[in-house]
Amino acid sequence: MIILAIYIAIFVGAYLVVRLVMSGLAKAHDFTSLKTVTFGDESAVKANTAASIISVVAVFLIWGAFTGSSLSPVHVPGPFVGDASFTYTAEAEDGSRDDATVTVRVFPVGEDVEEPEVEPGEGFAKNDAATLGAWRSTLIRVDRNDEIGKREGARVVAIDGKPIAPGETVEVASGVVTLTPKGTPNYKPAQGWQMEPIWLPPPEDVIRRIGEIAQEGYQNYTLLEHLGWSLFRVLLGFFFGALVGIPLGYAMGLSGWFRGWFEPIVEFMRPVPPLALIPLVIIWAGIGEVGKIILLFLAALWIMTIAARSGVSGVKISKVHAAYSLGASKWQILRHVIVPNSLPEIFTGARVAMGVCWGTVVAAELVAAEKGAGMMIMVASRFQLTDIVIMGIILIGVIGYGIDILMRMAERWLIPWKGRG
Amino acid sequence: MSSLLIDDVSMRFDLPDGEAVQALKNVTLNIKEGELMAVLGPSGCGKTTLLNIVAGFLAPTSGTISLGGKTVSGPGPERGMVFQQGALFEWMNVRENVAFGPNMKHMPRSESDGIVDHLLEVVGLRDFKQKAIYELSGGMQQRVALARCLANDPDVILMDEPLGALDALTREKMQGLVLKLWKETGKTIILITHSVEEALLLGERLLVMAPRPGRIHKEYRLPFAELGVGADLREVKKHPEFGPKREEILSMIWDMEEEIMGRAEEADA
Ligand SMILES: Nc1ncnc2c1ncn2[C@@H]1O[C@H](COP(=O)(O)OP(=O)(O)OP(=O)(O)O)[C@@H](O)[C@H]1O
Ligand SMILES: [Mg+2]
């Protein structure tokens, strides 16, 4: 909730700041800036570069701030670290009371610390010392060294002078103390707002992991091999899917028999998410490469079939008529009119198919694989290696995004007439 | 002589709801080689249908079409078509569009290049040879379509409102171009238009069609096309017979439109 509020605040704040800065600068005078009606005119809406940059920075900033990252200049309060102390009051059976101090050294997880040295102190209750990792809590057997302990009938009745009964909690400086039902104080230092690395490691840990795994590898394969295998499976599956799907789509667009024959199959398979096929493919083809490629083939197949089919149906009849009147044969019409005319649709389909295949391969690897991006994060999650999991997710996202950008570039280069018929 | 014979052609469309539209009824025409025939008529009188039948895209329910004694049974390169718009191949540049017909015949590049260059020169697009179609204006695109059709050297050119989408000025220039090409190439041309003026200017023969069922209403032979070749078309419009003819045909079409409306109202009542 706090994070959401902060995020919205950054969103609004950045907008105001950028507007303020921009209004100071010279105004652009391109065509769009001269339009007076922009609301509702989609073509006038261009992604604001500043907003994109701030957006990415904000995500990392929040991530850094909530993980105590050294990359982030601001931090939300972290967990308490240092020496904390509170006093407890023990009451013996005869009603006599004595105070003693507990000193707890709270240290960042992963560091070695020594227990603080304390004087035993006066009275039958003796001072105690303990060490504790940040974000943890600990039972402190305060009666351990007391002259009259629990076994002799003494009870803890107050913490820092505030009366306490078993099950109750008392706030002390830099934390809380709860008395267990058996009467032992449980100390929990202040947690702060930061996330424990095991839930969310700071960005630099993740970056360090990328470097580490890129060099040393993980689970017998280097990072490049993991990602490369995932990508290879996608490309192979997509390739076969397109190889079969595009001609099939053309046939369905051109022949009534083909359309009648395959339409029920295509329409049935289309709404089945490829993920739902994973179990069946594993049963049939095992968890090896063949199974994965069959799965990705199926994921790409229907998308490419439908794209090719609608590419054929989308051809303007006057173009086909014109070609016939210019003496083209059926084969020439297919090659020079129908195929180029369907390319925009096929490319759109290919972009969708690539996205679906990439998502499917990761999911398939999560289920079962020896190597691959999905397998990497699955194994890491079993060992609670959150930094590897996050690293994997980021790399999967970056690669998926990269594929889409490459496809869009290829599209602009190969079919410049798209949308301008 | 390869004259175009339209022999007692009728066309009925059976609609899915069981009704039928008589788009053409007993249309007979003989168009001689080198004639330019303009076709006028209220909307829905079957002009496009007739042209599609001549082009071979539709088979008539009865009657035959023959060109130079050969019966038409499908589209063919001897009957070229210029569409209203959007029939150019936008994945090809101007040159490739114009060279489409020759390429389909596997004409060697050295030969087709000469034809393409010549035609682009004629339609005034020499400098646009390598441009993409979507970089051209509407009028330029229609000139490419005309050149593409001519590159295939058809005997008959069929045009369905080829200038309908153009502005008045471009349209007038294109009308001059059509006349020029007609005279230079000696092609048989059938041109459908909605503009009475255009029909008068371009139609050596002018066919007025009537709707429901689509049929030939009246035919004229006009002197204006001959006069207009290479001349200022605005001068032609000042010809003493031009104005009266225009009024005559306009009121004829108006009467037909009113009749349609009247019939529609009756049907509604
Ligand atoms: N494919 C079709 N199916 C059913 N009816 C059709 C079809 N094509 C044309 N028609 C009908 O045939 C008649 C003639 O149509 P056509 O397109 O030839 O008219 P037109 O004279 O070209 O009209 P416009 O000037 O508006 O282009 C119309 O009533 C139309 O509804
Ligand atoms: Mg029409």
Side-chain angles (χ1 to χ4, degrees):
Chain A
M1 263 342 266
I2 297 164
I3 295 179
L4 185 64
I6 293 174
Y7 192 72
I8 292 171
I10 294 178
F11 177 86
V12 175
Y15 173 68
L16 295 175
V17 169
V18 169
R19 255 187 64 158
L20 210 71
V21 172
M22 281 309 184
S23 66
L25 298 175
K27 284 221 169 65
H29 273 292
D30 60 3
F31 176 61
T32 298
S33 71
L34 297 177
K35 285 184 182 174
T36 54
V37 175
T38 52
F39 186 79
D41 179 358
E42 204 273 337
S43 69
V45 178
K46 253 181 39 209
N48 189 316
T49 322
S52 303
I53 294 168
I54 296 173
S55 160
V56 173
V57 171
V59 167
F60 278 88
L61 209 63
I62 292 178
W63 181 8
F66 278 86
T67 50
S69 162
S70 57
L71 298 178
S72 165
V74 288
H75 294 126
V76 296
F80 174 78
V81 173
D83 287 352
S85 61
F86 59 90
T87 61
Y88 69 92
T89 309
E91 189 182 84
E93 257 179 331
D94 60 1
S96 65
R97 292 184 170 202
D98 186 27
D99 290 350
T101 305
V102 180
T103 308
V104 184
R105 183 158 289 172
V106 184
F107 60 95
V109 177
E111 278 178 26
D112 280 339
V113 288
E114 287 171 10
E115 211 164 270
E117 280 177 31
V118 290
E119 304 280 316
E122 306 284 305
F124 67 84
K126 300 296 181 201
N127 294 342
D128 300 88
T131 61
L132 176 63
W135 282 295
R136 309 273 185 275
S137 61
T138 185
L139 284 176
I140 298 169
R141 307 199 179 281
V142 290
D143 66 319
R144 213 172 22 180
N145 55 358
D146 293 356
E147 280 162 17
I148 307 173
K150 232 197 284 189
R151 237 169 280 145
E152 289 83 34
R155 296 178 299 128
V156 174
V157 292
I159 299 288
D160 273 354
K162 290 169 226 163
I164 193 168
E168 284 178 358
T169 300
V170 157
E171 272 188 49
V172 299
S174 58
V176 292
V177 173
T178 309
L179 214 55
T180 64
K182 288 187 176 163
T184 311
N186 183 33
Y187 176 61
K188 191 173 164 198
Q191 304 281 292
W193 288 359
Q194 290 186 7
M195 305 277 275
E196 211 176 328
I198 202 149
W199 304 123
L200 182 66
E204 65 262 30
D205 276 15
V206 174
I207 293 166
R208 189 149 23 80
R209 270 293 185 192
I210 297 180
E212 202 179 294
I213 292 184
Q215 278 166 13
E216 295 164 22
Y218 185 66
Q219 297 289 317
N220 304 328
Y221 292 95
T222 65
L223 182 64
L224 227 55
E225 279 174 325
H226 281 300
L227 298 176
W229 270 100
S230 298
L231 208 57
F232 173 73
R233 290 165 180 154
V234 166
L235 291 178
L236 215 60
F238 171 79
F239 172 76
F240 286 121
L243 198 69
V244 177
I246 294 176
L248 183 60
Y250 282 147
M252 286 177 74
L254 295 169
S255 144
W257 181 257
F258 269 92
R259 177 172 297 196
W261 188 278
F262 286 106
E263 199 153 68
I265 302 175
V266 170
E267 293 302 326
F268 172 76
M269 286 309 289
R270 174 159 74 161
V272 176
L275 299 187
L277 299 174
I278 292 178
L280 189 63
V281 169
I282 289 180
I283 293 172
W284 283 355
I287 65 164
E289 294 310 315
V290 178
K292 298 217 167 40
I293 288 162
I294 289 177
L295 182 70
L296 296 173
F297 163 77
L298 289 174
L301 177 64
W302 314 119
I303 299 175
M304 294 314 292
T305 303
I306 289 163
R309 186 186 66 184
S310 63
V312 176
S313 340
V315 66
K316 245 187 172 175
I317 189 62
S318 62
K319 288 190 179 40
V320 174
H321 279 171
Y324 271 119
S325 294
L326 291 166
S329 64
K330 277 185 184 170
W331 177 247
Q332 285 173 323
I333 298 237
L334 180 66
R335 177 160 142 44
H336 295 288
V337 180
I338 290 174
V339 169
N341 189 77
S342 65
L343 284 183
E345 289 265 8
I346 288 184
F347 244 90
T348 308
R351 268 179 61 193
V352 174
M354 272 299 214
V356 170
C357 278
W358 184 242
T360 306
V361 79
V362 172
E365 290 164 354
L366 287 178
V367 175
E370 288 176 350
K371 48 193 179 271
M375 169 270 182
M376 196 168 64
I377 61 178
M378 194 61 207
V379 172
S381 92
R382 267 189 226 133
F383 295 112
Q384 293 252 347
L385 293 167
T386 318
D387 43 1
I388 295 184
V389 173
I390 290 181
M391 175 199 83
I393 291 171
I394 290 175
L395 290 177
I396 289 166
V398 166
I399 291 173
Y401 191 40
I403 291 175
D404 200 58
I405 288 177
L406 283 178
M407 297 285 283
R408 260 188 275 182
M409 273 164 52
E411 188 177 72
R412 228 171 304 149
W413 180 60
L414 290 172
I415 38 174
W417 68 86
K418 184 178 183 184
R420 307 208 237 183
Chain B
M1 281 308 245
S2 55
S3 60
L4 179 70
L5 209 69
I6 300 171
D7 187 13
D8 198 25
V9 163
S10 297
M11 186 77 200
R12 217 184 67 201
F13 289 106
D14 291 316
L15 303 179
D17 59 7
E19 283 185 48
V21 179
Q22 192 73 39
L24 289 174
K25 192 164 186 201
N26 306 108
V27 175
T28 299
L29 272 173
N30 186 352
I31 303 161
K32 291 203 196 63
E33 182 169 342
E35 275 186 333
L36 201 178
M37 189 171 82
V39 182
L40 262 180
S43 187
C45 69
K47 305 183 291 295
T48 300
T49 305
L50 181 63
L51 212 67
N52 281 338
I53 290 173
V54 173
F57 303 144
L58 284 175
T61 11
S62 71
T64 53
I65 308 282
S66 61
L67 178 61
K70 265 174 64 188
T71 305
V72 165
S73 60
E78 71 285 353
R79 282 158 289 127
M81 184 104 172
V82 179
F83 294 85
Q84 184 169 9
Q85 63 182 150
L88 292 174
F89 307 130
E90 61 266 19
W91 45 91
M92 298 178 185
N93 63 20
V94 170
R95 192 195 68 77
E96 291 164 333
N97 263 284
V98 177
F100 188 84
N103 284 346
M104 293 304 106
K105 285 187 289 199
H106 303 291
M107 187 187 280
R109 176 84 187 248
S110 52
E111 212 175 316
S112 69
D113 266 354
I115 297 175
V116 171
D117 284 346
H118 169 69
L119 285 171
L120 286 179
E121 182 86 50
V122 170
V123 299
L125 289 174
R126 200 187 51 189
D127 298 337
F128 295 85
K129 211 170 134 181
Q130 302 300 338
K131 281 267 191 297
I133 292 303
Y134 48 82
E135 291 173 300
L136 303 183
S137 73
M140 289 164 149
Q141 291 186 5
Q142 278 317 78
R143 281 187 272 164
V144 175
L146 210 56
R148 181 176 73 174
C149 181
L150 287 168
N152 215 30
D153 197 26
D155 298 331
V156 181
I157 299 178
L158 308 169
M159 303 197 209
D160 193 355
E161 299 175 44
L163 315 182
L166 305 181
D167 68 281
L169 209 71
T170 315
R171 191 167 185 160
E172 199 171 299
K173 282 192 211 148
M174 290 289 287
Q175 287 165 351
L177 180 66
V178 170
L179 280 179
K180 184 177 127 194
L181 289 171
W182 169 57
K183 211 64 217 173
E184 278 178 8
T185 59
K187 304 259 181 236
T188 312
I189 299 179
I190 302 180
L191 181 139
I192 294 178
T193 175
H194 270 134
S195 153
V196 174
E197 219 164 66
E198 186 168 281
L200 286 170
L201 280 174
L202 300 184
E204 188 189 19
R205 285 172 75 180
L206 170 56
L207 196 70
V208 181
M209 290 181 64
R212 298 174 191 225
R215 65 211 126 97
I216 296 172
H217 183 70
K218 198 158 173 154
E219 211 196 304
Y220 296 85
R221 285 201 167 266
L222 300 165
F224 309 115
E226 281 295 344
L227 294 173
V229 176
D232 185 349
L233 292 182
R234 259 161 299 166
E235 289 302 318
V236 176
K237 286 184 206 167
K238 287 183 197 148
H239 191 280
E241 280 179 45
F242 193 91
K245 267 278 172 322
R246 187 180 58 201
E247 292 314 310
E248 182 188 329
I249 293 169
L250 262 179
S251 60
M252 190 190 303
I253 291 177
W254 264 116
D255 287 348
M256 279 190 250
E257 294 273 8
E258 254 165 37
E259 202 185 324
I260 299 171
M261 299 303 256
R263 256 192 273 171
E265 271 163 29
E266 262 170 49
D268 281 347

